[in-house]
Amino acid sequence: MNRLELFRRDLSKHKAIYLMTVPVILYYLIFKYVPMGGAIIAFKDYHPSEGIWGSPWVGFEHFRDFFDSFFFWRLIRNTALIGFYDLIFGFPAPILLALLLNEIRHALFKRIVQTFSYLPHFISMVVICGFIIDFTNRNGIINTIISWFGGTPSALLANPGNFRSIYVISQIWQEIGWASIIYLAALSGVNPELYEAAKMDGAGRFKQIFHITIPAILPVISILLILKMGSLLEIGFEKIILLYNPATYETADVISSFVYRMGVVERDYSFTSAVGLFQSVVNFVMLLSANTLSKRLSGNSLW
């Protein structure tokens, strides 16, 4: 029996499941794959009045302009540093939270902690950034705490040296609870008999975590780490433009915020398409590299 016949039998047997995938497939086709055709304007001097095909070809001119511009290294440095800090501090945070929640035996307290950790994820980004601005101003709660210990209050968000730390810490606060859900789901599948056997062998809580819990969720960690590496330079512009100002461009301006300013504000569509395409290619290369490295070291990979 060939593969086509097997697919037909499986389709007739699981029609409802295949129908459920149709909206997802259509979503990705319409909003993810079809727009890829617009990337061609990165190689053209695009004008809306002339259309994509009517605009003249310029080859790699926009890429050369970006590589030679004053902003290139600043954007690469800021984007890479924020992404790297988020990877180092933000990626392990939900894993640690999931491990801690998994050790809590009081069900009510566990649900309360989970609820409070999830809440920031569902709050509007504008509201979240309003909180951050209020917390970090001269009269905010953070400066109040600093003054208690004899420090001098200051406008923390106006200081370029503080921006990356504020961004990463607030990002962890926003996403730690939501990101821990997948790890908690993986932990729920660990066989309880393994813990019972470890207790009988005299293993304490920490030994159980290091020898049972972490190895059990290691494949999930590997897959999510690969995906994280593939989006290392994918710093969203919404939070950046809500928090930064011209005084903090030196440390806060990233590729996505630069694309927003040049594309939406300045309407330089071809140039920003070239910048965005460059960012996507770098992310794709990093994804391939992380997947290959993970497959060789741990045997876990996306494909």
Side-chain angles (χ1 to χ4, degrees), residues 80-136:
L81 283 176
I82 291 176
F84 178 74
Y85 293 155
D86 188 42
L87 175 68
I88 296 298
F89 300 105
F91 183 78
I95 301 174
L96 294 175
L97 178 62
L99 293 174
L100 292 173
L101 290 173
N102 189 58
E103 296 300 316
I104 296 176
R105 298 294 176 257
H106 195 288
L108 178 60
F109 179 72
K110 183 177 181 178
R111 287 197 295 269
I112 292 173
V113 173
Q114 284 180 286
T115 301
F116 276 96
S117 66
Y118 297 159
L119 280 178
H121 176 80
F122 297 100
I123 300 175
S124 167
M125 182 65 74
V126 176
V127 176
I128 287 289
C129 291
F131 287 157
I132 296 170
I133 293 170
D134 288 340
F135 291 162
T136 56

Short mmCIF file of all heavy atoms in Angstrom, two decimals, residues 80-136:
data_model
loop_
_atom_site.label_atom_id
_atom_site.label_comp_id
_atom_site.label_asym_id
_atom_site.label_seq_id
_atom_site.Cartn_x
_atom_site.Cartn_y
_atom_site.Cartn_z
N ALA A 80 21.41 42.43 19.62
CA ALA A 80 22.08 41.21 20.08
C ALA A 80 22.22 41.18 21.59
O ALA A 80 22.01 40.13 22.22
CB ALA A 80 23.45 41.09 19.42
N LEU A 81 22.55 42.31 22.21
CA LEU A 81 22.72 42.34 23.66
C LEU A 81 21.40 42.10 24.39
O LEU A 81 21.35 41.33 25.35
CB LEU A 81 23.34 43.67 24.09
CG LEU A 81 24.84 43.82 23.85
CD1 LEU A 81 25.31 45.22 24.23
CD2 LEU A 81 25.63 42.78 24.63
N ILE A 82 20.34 42.78 23.95
CA ILE A 82 19.05 42.58 24.60
C ILE A 82 18.58 41.13 24.41
O ILE A 82 18.08 40.50 25.34
CB ILE A 82 18.00 43.56 24.05
CG1 ILE A 82 18.34 44.99 24.49
CG2 ILE A 82 16.60 43.20 24.52
CD1 ILE A 82 17.42 46.05 23.94
N GLY A 83 18.76 40.60 23.20
CA GLY A 83 18.40 39.21 22.95
C GLY A 83 19.23 38.24 23.77
O GLY A 83 18.71 37.25 24.30
N PHE A 84 20.53 38.53 23.90
CA PHE A 84 21.41 37.66 24.68
C PHE A 84 21.06 37.71 26.17
O PHE A 84 20.99 36.66 26.83
CB PHE A 84 22.86 38.11 24.47
CG PHE A 84 23.86 37.31 25.25
CD1 PHE A 84 24.18 36.02 24.89
CD2 PHE A 84 24.49 37.86 26.37
CE1 PHE A 84 25.11 35.27 25.62
CE2 PHE A 84 25.41 37.13 27.10
CZ PHE A 84 25.72 35.84 26.73
N TYR A 85 20.82 38.90 26.70
CA TYR A 85 20.44 39.02 28.11
C TYR A 85 19.11 38.32 28.38
O TYR A 85 18.93 37.67 29.42
CB TYR A 85 20.32 40.49 28.51
CG TYR A 85 21.63 41.24 28.52
CD1 TYR A 85 21.67 42.62 28.34
CD2 TYR A 85 22.84 40.58 28.70
CE1 TYR A 85 22.87 43.32 28.33
CE2 TYR A 85 24.04 41.25 28.69
CZ TYR A 85 24.05 42.63 28.50
OH TYR A 85 25.25 43.31 28.50
N ASP A 86 18.19 38.44 27.44
CA ASP A 86 16.89 37.77 27.60
C ASP A 86 17.07 36.26 27.55
O ASP A 86 16.35 35.52 28.24
CB ASP A 86 15.94 38.24 26.50
CG ASP A 86 14.52 37.74 26.72
OD1 ASP A 86 14.05 37.77 27.87
OD2 ASP A 86 13.88 37.33 25.74
N LEU A 87 18.02 35.78 26.74
CA LEU A 87 18.29 34.35 26.66
C LEU A 87 18.93 33.84 27.95
O LEU A 87 18.52 32.81 28.50
CB LEU A 87 19.21 34.07 25.47
CG LEU A 87 19.69 32.62 25.29
CD1 LEU A 87 18.52 31.72 24.92
CD2 LEU A 87 20.78 32.54 24.23
N ILE A 88 19.91 34.58 28.47
CA ILE A 88 20.65 34.14 29.65
C ILE A 88 19.78 34.19 30.92
O ILE A 88 19.80 33.27 31.74
CB ILE A 88 21.92 35.00 29.84
CG1 ILE A 88 22.88 34.79 28.67
CG2 ILE A 88 22.60 34.67 31.17
CD1 ILE A 88 23.38 33.38 28.52
N PHE A 89 19.03 35.28 31.06
CA PHE A 89 18.24 35.46 32.29
C PHE A 89 16.77 35.11 32.11
O PHE A 89 16.13 34.62 33.05
CB PHE A 89 18.37 36.91 32.77
CG PHE A 89 19.77 37.32 33.09
CD1 PHE A 89 20.48 38.15 32.23
CD2 PHE A 89 20.40 36.88 34.24
CE1 PHE A 89 21.78 38.54 32.51
CE2 PHE A 89 21.71 37.25 34.53
CZ PHE A 89 22.40 38.08 33.66
N GLY A 90 16.23 35.37 30.93
CA GLY A 90 14.80 35.15 30.72
C GLY A 90 14.44 33.72 30.41
O GLY A 90 13.39 33.24 30.84
N PHE A 91 15.29 33.00 29.68
CA PHE A 91 14.96 31.62 29.31
C PHE A 91 14.92 30.68 30.51
O PHE A 91 14.00 29.87 30.63
CB PHE A 91 15.94 31.11 28.25
CG PHE A 91 15.61 29.73 27.76
CD1 PHE A 91 14.59 29.54 26.84
CD2 PHE A 91 16.31 28.63 28.22
CE1 PHE A 91 14.27 28.26 26.40
CE2 PHE A 91 16.00 27.35 27.79
CZ PHE A 91 14.98 27.16 26.87
N PRO A 92 15.89 30.74 31.44
CA PRO A 92 15.83 29.81 32.58
C PRO A 92 14.74 30.16 33.60
O PRO A 92 14.36 29.30 34.40
CB PRO A 92 17.23 29.95 33.23
CG PRO A 92 18.05 30.69 32.25
CD PRO A 92 17.13 31.53 31.46
N ALA A 93 14.25 31.42 33.61
CA ALA A 93 13.31 31.86 34.64
C ALA A 93 12.05 31.00 34.71
O ALA A 93 11.67 30.53 35.79
CB ALA A 93 12.97 33.34 34.44
N PRO A 94 11.33 30.75 33.59
CA PRO A 94 10.14 29.91 33.68
C PRO A 94 10.44 28.46 34.05
O PRO A 94 9.60 27.78 34.65
CB PRO A 94 9.53 30.01 32.27
CG PRO A 94 10.62 30.47 31.40
CD PRO A 94 11.50 31.32 32.23
N ILE A 95 11.64 27.99 33.70
CA ILE A 95 12.02 26.63 34.09
C ILE A 95 12.14 26.55 35.61
O ILE A 95 11.63 25.62 36.25
CB ILE A 95 13.34 26.22 33.43
CG1 ILE A 95 13.22 26.29 31.90
CG2 ILE A 95 13.77 24.82 33.86
CD1 ILE A 95 14.52 26.04 31.16
N LEU A 96 12.82 27.54 36.20
CA LEU A 96 12.96 27.58 37.66
C LEU A 96 11.61 27.71 38.34
O LEU A 96 11.34 27.05 39.36
CB LEU A 96 13.87 28.74 38.07
CG LEU A 96 15.33 28.64 37.62
CD1 LEU A 96 16.08 29.91 37.99
CD2 LEU A 96 16.01 27.43 38.26
N LEU A 97 10.73 28.56 37.80
CA LEU A 97 9.39 28.72 38.38
C LEU A 97 8.61 27.41 38.31
O LEU A 97 7.95 27.02 39.28
CB LEU A 97 8.63 29.82 37.65
CG LEU A 97 7.19 30.07 38.12
CD1 LEU A 97 7.17 30.50 39.58
CD2 LEU A 97 6.49 31.11 37.24
N ALA A 98 8.69 26.71 37.18
CA ALA A 98 7.98 25.44 37.03
C ALA A 98 8.51 24.40 38.03
O ALA A 98 7.73 23.65 38.63
CB ALA A 98 8.12 24.92 35.60
N LEU A 99 9.84 24.37 38.21
CA LEU A 99 10.42 23.43 39.18
C LEU A 99 9.96 23.75 40.60
O LEU A 99 9.65 22.85 41.39
CB LEU A 99 11.94 23.47 39.09
CG LEU A 99 12.57 22.94 37.79
CD1 LEU A 99 14.07 23.16 37.79
CD2 LEU A 99 12.26 21.46 37.61
N LEU A 100 9.91 25.05 40.93
CA LEU A 100 9.47 25.45 42.26
C LEU A 100 7.99 25.12 42.47
O LEU A 100 7.60 24.60 43.53
CB LEU A 100 9.71 26.95 42.47
CG LEU A 100 11.17 27.39 42.55
CD1 LEU A 100 11.28 28.91 42.57
CD2 LEU A 100 11.83 26.81 43.81
N LEU A 101 7.17 25.43 41.47
CA LEU A 101 5.74 25.13 41.59
C LEU A 101 5.49 23.63 41.68
O LEU A 101 4.56 23.18 42.37
CB LEU A 101 4.98 25.70 40.39
CG LEU A 101 4.87 27.23 40.32
CD1 LEU A 101 4.25 27.66 38.99
CD2 LEU A 101 4.04 27.76 41.48
N ASN A 102 6.32 22.86 41.00
CA ASN A 102 6.16 21.41 41.04
C ASN A 102 6.44 20.83 42.42
O ASN A 102 5.95 19.76 42.77
CB ASN A 102 7.10 20.77 40.00
CG ASN A 102 6.85 19.29 39.83
OD1 ASN A 102 5.75 18.88 39.48
ND2 ASN A 102 7.88 18.48 40.04
N GLU A 103 7.25 21.55 43.22
CA GLU A 103 7.59 21.08 44.56
C GLU A 103 6.58 21.53 45.62
O GLU A 103 6.63 21.05 46.75
CB GLU A 103 8.98 21.60 44.95
CG GLU A 103 10.11 21.06 44.09
CD GLU A 103 10.21 19.54 44.14
OE1 GLU A 103 10.12 18.99 45.26
OE2 GLU A 103 10.35 18.91 43.08
N ILE A 104 5.68 22.45 45.25
CA ILE A 104 4.68 22.92 46.23
C ILE A 104 3.59 21.88 46.38
O ILE A 104 3.01 21.43 45.39
CB ILE A 104 4.08 24.28 45.77
CG1 ILE A 104 5.16 25.36 45.75
CG2 ILE A 104 2.94 24.69 46.69
CD1 ILE A 104 4.68 26.70 45.21
N ARG A 105 3.29 21.52 47.59
CA ARG A 105 2.28 20.51 47.87
C ARG A 105 0.94 21.12 48.28
O ARG A 105 -0.07 20.44 48.25
CB ARG A 105 2.79 19.55 48.96
CG ARG A 105 4.03 18.78 48.57
CD ARG A 105 3.73 17.82 47.42
NE ARG A 105 4.94 17.14 46.95
CZ ARG A 105 5.58 17.46 45.84
NH1 ARG A 105 5.14 18.45 45.09
NH2 ARG A 105 6.65 16.80 45.46
N HIS A 106 0.93 22.38 48.69
CA HIS A 106 -0.31 23.05 49.08
C HIS A 106 -1.01 23.53 47.81
O HIS A 106 -0.57 24.49 47.17
CB HIS A 106 0.00 24.22 50.01
CG HIS A 106 -1.20 24.73 50.74
ND1 HIS A 106 -2.19 25.45 50.12
CD2 HIS A 106 -1.58 24.61 52.05
CE1 HIS A 106 -3.12 25.77 51.00
NE2 HIS A 106 -2.78 25.26 52.18
N ALA A 107 -2.11 22.89 47.43
CA ALA A 107 -2.76 23.14 46.15
C ALA A 107 -3.27 24.58 46.02
O ALA A 107 -3.11 25.21 44.97
CB ALA A 107 -3.92 22.16 45.95
N LEU A 108 -3.89 25.12 47.08
CA LEU A 108 -4.44 26.48 47.01
C LEU A 108 -3.34 27.51 46.81
O LEU A 108 -3.45 28.40 45.96
CB LEU A 108 -5.24 26.78 48.28
CG LEU A 108 -5.84 28.20 48.36
CD1 LEU A 108 -6.81 28.42 47.21
CD2 LEU A 108 -6.54 28.41 49.70
N PHE A 109 -2.27 27.39 47.59
CA PHE A 109 -1.14 28.33 47.46
C PHE A 109 -0.52 28.23 46.07
O PHE A 109 -0.17 29.25 45.46
CB PHE A 109 -0.10 28.03 48.53
CG PHE A 109 1.11 28.92 48.46
CD1 PHE A 109 1.03 30.25 48.85
CD2 PHE A 109 2.32 28.44 48.00
CE1 PHE A 109 2.14 31.08 48.78
CE2 PHE A 109 3.43 29.25 47.93
CZ PHE A 109 3.34 30.57 48.33
N LYS A 110 -0.44 27.02 45.54
CA LYS A 110 0.13 26.81 44.21
C LYS A 110 -0.71 27.51 43.16
O LYS A 110 -0.17 28.17 42.26
CB LYS A 110 0.23 25.31 43.93
CG LYS A 110 0.86 24.97 42.59
CD LYS A 110 0.98 23.46 42.43
CE LYS A 110 1.64 23.10 41.11
NZ LYS A 110 1.80 21.62 40.97
N ARG A 111 -2.04 27.39 43.24
CA ARG A 111 -2.92 28.04 42.27
C ARG A 111 -2.83 29.56 42.35
O ARG A 111 -2.88 30.26 41.34
CB ARG A 111 -4.36 27.58 42.48
CG ARG A 111 -4.62 26.15 42.03
CD ARG A 111 -6.11 25.90 41.87
NE ARG A 111 -6.81 26.00 43.16
CZ ARG A 111 -7.01 24.98 43.98
NH1 ARG A 111 -6.57 23.77 43.66
NH2 ARG A 111 -7.65 25.15 45.11
N ILE A 112 -2.71 30.09 43.58
CA ILE A 112 -2.60 31.54 43.75
C ILE A 112 -1.32 32.07 43.11
O ILE A 112 -1.32 33.08 42.39
CB ILE A 112 -2.64 31.91 45.25
CG1 ILE A 112 -4.04 31.63 45.83
CG2 ILE A 112 -2.28 33.38 45.47
CD1 ILE A 112 -4.13 31.80 47.32
N VAL A 113 -0.20 31.37 43.35
CA VAL A 113 1.08 31.78 42.76
C VAL A 113 1.02 31.72 41.24
O VAL A 113 1.48 32.64 40.54
CB VAL A 113 2.23 30.89 43.29
CG1 VAL A 113 3.53 31.20 42.55
CG2 VAL A 113 2.41 31.09 44.79
N GLN A 114 0.43 30.66 40.70
CA GLN A 114 0.31 30.54 39.26
C GLN A 114 -0.53 31.66 38.67
O GLN A 114 -0.17 32.25 37.65
CB GLN A 114 -0.33 29.18 38.91
CG GLN A 114 0.63 28.01 39.04
CD GLN A 114 -0.04 26.70 38.68
OE1 GLN A 114 -0.85 26.17 39.43
NE2 GLN A 114 0.28 26.18 37.52
N THR A 115 -1.65 31.98 39.33
CA THR A 115 -2.54 33.03 38.83
C THR A 115 -1.83 34.37 38.78
O THR A 115 -1.90 35.09 37.78
CB THR A 115 -3.79 33.14 39.71
OG1 THR A 115 -4.47 31.88 39.72
CG2 THR A 115 -4.72 34.22 39.19
N PHE A 116 -1.12 34.73 39.85
CA PHE A 116 -0.42 36.01 39.89
C PHE A 116 0.73 36.05 38.88
O PHE A 116 1.05 37.12 38.35
CB PHE A 116 0.10 36.29 41.30
CG PHE A 116 -0.92 36.90 42.20
CD1 PHE A 116 -1.67 36.11 43.07
CD2 PHE A 116 -1.17 38.27 42.18
CE1 PHE A 116 -2.63 36.68 43.90
CE2 PHE A 116 -2.12 38.85 42.99
CZ PHE A 116 -2.87 38.05 43.86
N SER A 117 1.36 34.92 38.62
CA SER A 117 2.46 34.90 37.65
C SER A 117 1.94 34.98 36.22
O SER A 117 2.64 35.47 35.32
CB SER A 117 3.31 33.64 37.84
OG SER A 117 2.58 32.47 37.52
N TYR A 118 0.71 34.51 35.96
CA TYR A 118 0.14 34.56 34.61
C TYR A 118 -0.37 35.95 34.26
O TYR A 118 -0.38 36.33 33.08
CB TYR A 118 -1.04 33.60 34.47
CG TYR A 118 -0.74 32.14 34.64
CD1 TYR A 118 -1.74 31.23 34.95
CD2 TYR A 118 0.56 31.65 34.49
CE1 TYR A 118 -1.47 29.87 35.10
CE2 TYR A 118 0.84 30.30 34.65
CZ TYR A 118 -0.18 29.41 34.96
OH TYR A 118 0.10 28.09 35.10
N LEU A 119 -0.86 36.70 35.25
CA LEU A 119 -1.59 37.95 35.00
C LEU A 119 -0.87 38.95 34.09
O LEU A 119 -1.49 39.49 33.17
CB LEU A 119 -1.95 38.62 36.33
CG LEU A 119 -3.17 38.06 37.06
CD1 LEU A 119 -3.37 38.79 38.39
CD2 LEU A 119 -4.43 38.18 36.20
N PRO A 120 0.42 39.24 34.31
CA PRO A 120 1.07 40.25 33.45
C PRO A 120 1.02 39.93 31.96
O PRO A 120 1.01 40.84 31.13
CB PRO A 120 2.52 40.27 33.97
CG PRO A 120 2.42 39.79 35.37
CD PRO A 120 1.33 38.77 35.36
N HIS A 121 0.97 38.65 31.62
CA HIS A 121 0.93 38.26 30.20
C HIS A 121 -0.34 38.75 29.52
O HIS A 121 -0.34 39.05 28.31
CB HIS A 121 1.04 36.74 30.07
CG HIS A 121 0.91 36.24 28.67
ND1 HIS A 121 1.95 36.26 27.77
CD2 HIS A 121 -0.16 35.71 28.00
CE1 HIS A 121 1.54 35.76 26.61
NE2 HIS A 121 0.27 35.42 26.73
N PHE A 122 -1.43 38.85 30.27
CA PHE A 122 -2.72 39.21 29.69
C PHE A 122 -3.01 40.71 29.77
O PHE A 122 -4.06 41.15 29.32
CB PHE A 122 -3.83 38.43 30.39
CG PHE A 122 -3.72 36.94 30.21
CD1 PHE A 122 -3.18 36.14 31.20
CD2 PHE A 122 -4.14 36.35 29.03
CE1 PHE A 122 -3.06 34.77 31.03
CE2 PHE A 122 -4.03 34.97 28.85
CZ PHE A 122 -3.49 34.18 29.85
N ILE A 123 -2.13 41.47 30.38
CA ILE A 123 -2.31 42.91 30.47
C ILE A 123 -1.78 43.57 29.20
O ILE A 123 -0.76 43.16 28.65
CB ILE A 123 -1.60 43.48 31.71
CG1 ILE A 123 -2.17 42.85 32.99
CG2 ILE A 123 -1.75 45.00 31.78
CD1 ILE A 123 -1.46 43.27 34.25
N SER A 124 -2.49 44.58 28.72
CA SER A 124 -2.09 45.29 27.51
C SER A 124 -0.67 45.81 27.63
O SER A 124 -0.23 46.25 28.70
CB SER A 124 -3.05 46.46 27.27
OG SER A 124 -2.54 47.34 26.30
N MET A 125 0.06 45.77 26.50
CA MET A 125 1.44 46.24 26.49
C MET A 125 1.53 47.72 26.87
O MET A 125 2.47 48.14 27.55
CB MET A 125 2.05 46.02 25.10
CG MET A 125 3.51 46.43 24.98
SD MET A 125 4.60 45.40 26.00
CE MET A 125 4.57 43.89 25.05
N VAL A 126 0.54 48.50 26.45
CA VAL A 126 0.54 49.93 26.79
C VAL A 126 0.42 50.12 28.30
O VAL A 126 1.12 50.95 28.89
CB VAL A 126 -0.63 50.65 26.07
CG1 VAL A 126 -0.71 52.11 26.50
CG2 VAL A 126 -0.48 50.54 24.56
N VAL A 127 -0.43 49.31 28.92
CA VAL A 127 -0.61 49.40 30.38
C VAL A 127 0.67 48.95 31.09
O VAL A 127 1.11 49.58 32.07
CB VAL A 127 -1.81 48.55 30.83
CG1 VAL A 127 -1.95 48.56 32.35
CG2 VAL A 127 -3.10 49.07 30.19
N ILE A 128 1.26 47.86 30.61
CA ILE A 128 2.50 47.35 31.20
C ILE A 128 3.59 48.42 31.14
O ILE A 128 4.29 48.68 32.13
CB ILE A 128 2.97 46.08 30.47
CG1 ILE A 128 2.09 44.88 30.84
CG2 ILE A 128 4.43 45.77 30.80
CD1 ILE A 128 2.27 44.38 32.25
N CYS A 129 3.75 49.05 29.99
CA CYS A 129 4.78 50.09 29.85
C CYS A 129 4.45 51.30 30.71
O CYS A 129 5.36 51.97 31.22
CB CYS A 129 4.91 50.50 28.38
SG CYS A 129 5.62 49.21 27.33
N GLY A 130 3.16 51.59 30.90
CA GLY A 130 2.78 52.66 31.82
C GLY A 130 3.20 52.35 33.25
O GLY A 130 3.69 53.23 33.96
N PHE A 131 3.03 51.08 33.65
CA PHE A 131 3.50 50.65 34.97
C PHE A 131 5.01 50.84 35.10
O PHE A 131 5.51 51.35 36.12
CB PHE A 131 3.16 49.18 35.21
CG PHE A 131 1.72 48.89 35.47
CD1 PHE A 131 1.19 47.63 35.24
CD2 PHE A 131 0.88 49.88 35.95
CE1 PHE A 131 -0.14 47.35 35.49
CE2 PHE A 131 -0.46 49.63 36.20
CZ PHE A 131 -0.97 48.36 35.97
N ILE A 132 5.74 50.40 34.06
CA ILE A 132 7.20 50.48 34.11
C ILE A 132 7.66 51.93 34.22
O ILE A 132 8.55 52.26 35.01
CB ILE A 132 7.81 49.82 32.85
CG1 ILE A 132 7.48 48.32 32.83
CG2 ILE A 132 9.32 50.02 32.81
CD1 ILE A 132 7.83 47.64 31.52
N ILE A 133 7.03 52.81 33.45
CA ILE A 133 7.39 54.24 33.50
C ILE A 133 7.10 54.82 34.87
O ILE A 133 7.91 55.58 35.43
CB ILE A 133 6.63 55.01 32.40
CG1 ILE A 133 7.14 54.58 31.02
CG2 ILE A 133 6.81 56.53 32.58
CD1 ILE A 133 6.31 55.10 29.87
N ASP A 134 5.96 54.47 35.45
CA ASP A 134 5.60 54.98 36.79
C ASP A 134 6.54 54.42 37.87
O ASP A 134 6.93 55.14 38.80
CB ASP A 134 4.16 54.61 37.13
CG ASP A 134 3.15 55.43 36.34
OD1 ASP A 134 3.53 56.50 35.84
OD2 ASP A 134 2.00 54.98 36.22
N PHE A 135 6.89 53.14 37.75
CA PHE A 135 7.76 52.51 38.74
C PHE A 135 9.17 53.09 38.73
O PHE A 135 9.84 53.12 39.77
CB PHE A 135 7.85 51.00 38.51
CG PHE A 135 6.58 50.25 38.78
CD1 PHE A 135 6.39 48.97 38.27
CD2 PHE A 135 5.56 50.82 39.54
CE1 PHE A 135 5.22 48.27 38.52
CE2 PHE A 135 4.38 50.13 39.79
CZ PHE A 135 4.22 48.85 39.28
N THR A 136 9.63 53.53 37.53
CA THR A 136 11.03 53.95 37.40
C THR A 136 11.23 55.46 37.41
O THR A 136 12.37 55.92 37.29
CB THR A 136 11.62 53.39 36.09
OG1 THR A 136 10.82 53.82 34.97
CG2 THR A 136 11.68 51.87 36.11
#
